[in-house]
Amino acid sequence: MGTKTADETGAETGAEATTDEQKVSVAKTDEVTEAEDTTAEDTTADENAADDIDDEGDLPGAVQEEGPTGVGQGAGAVVSAALGLVSLTGSWIGTVAAARETLVGQLQTSSTATVAKQVKEVYGDAWQTTALWGGLFALLALVVGVGVLARPAFGAPGKPQAVWIKSVAWGGVALGVVGLLLAVLKYTGILLDLPSAS
């Protein structure tokens, strides 16, 4: 009939149980091998991370102290260079001031004034005003550039200034010096003096 004896049932179950036990044993062996491989990889990664620690002694994942980033110094260097360039090429405010001086000179000069007086009042004062504004921008470029270059002396010790900041600041200082020299030469009449009215 459809009933099985205890021996038949136990034999089938025993064979199946052995197969299942072998499968579990093989699976456990694979898991242990994978765990050992992962542990070995983690140990190797930790050793490599320890080798990669920089000279300052920073540990990976450790909280680093916040220090100056140099953004302000970089901005100051760029502003210095821009002001130096404006001092050489001229500015909108210098042009407007020169046009105003031309207008004032025309209004204050009578039609019976000598040609020399008219040239001086109409063109000379405007030329000097342009030189004055150029000199002002050059002086600002010089002060800002020197301030950026001197800033590390008063900042965090051990943190050097970025090379590009120094380069741009020195460029701003150089443009400021040249702009200031040209402004003084224009204002005094040594460079491009007014033509004589003879």
Side-chain angles (χ1 to χ4, degrees):
M1 298 193 195
T3 60
K4 295 184 180 181
T5 61
D7 292 338
E8 293 175 2
T9 310
E12 291 177 11
T13 310
E16 290 175 3
T18 305
T19 306
D20 289 339
E21 288 173 6
Q22 289 174 352
K23 289 180 183 176
V24 170
S25 175
V26 171
K28 285 182 181 178
T29 305
D30 290 343
E31 288 176 6
V32 170
T33 305
E34 288 177 10
E36 288 174 358
D37 290 343
T38 306
T39 306
E41 289 174 7
D42 290 343
T43 305
T44 306
D46 289 342
E47 290 173 0
N48 290 339
D51 292 341
D52 292 339
I53 294 176
D54 59 356
D55 295 336
E56 295 176 1
D58 294 339
L59 295 176
V63 177
Q64 296 181 3
E65 292 182 20
E66 288 292 324
T69 59
V71 173
Q73 293 177 23
V78 170
V79 166
S80 173
L83 287 171
L85 188 63
V86 167
S87 75
L88 293 176
T89 60
S91 66
W92 175 81
I93 194 166
T95 304
V96 169
R100 183 182 184 282
E101 281 298 317
T102 301
L103 182 62
V104 168
Q106 288 173 351
L107 293 174
Q108 290 180 348
T109 307
S110 65
S111 60
T112 59
T114 63
V115 174
K117 182 169 167 98
Q118 287 179 354
V119 168
K120 186 202 174 292
E121 291 296 325
V122 174
Y123 300 108
D125 290 346
W127 182 249
Q128 287 180 337
T129 301
T130 302
L132 187 67
W133 280 102
L136 181 65
F137 278 103
L139 187 63
L140 283 173
L142 194 58
V143 168
V144 171
V146 168
V148 168
L149 290 172
R151 173 65 177 98
F154 305 105
K159 179 121 178 156
Q161 193 174 39
V163 175
W164 73 269
I165 294 174
K166 287 181 184 178
S167 299
V168 174
W170 274 114
V173 168
L175 288 172
V177 167
V178 171
L180 195 58
L181 179 66
L182 287 176
V184 168
L185 291 175
K186 285 191 300 185
Y187 190 83
T188 58
I190 295 173
L191 179 68
L192 299 172
D193 193 18
L194 288 174
S196 62
S198 54

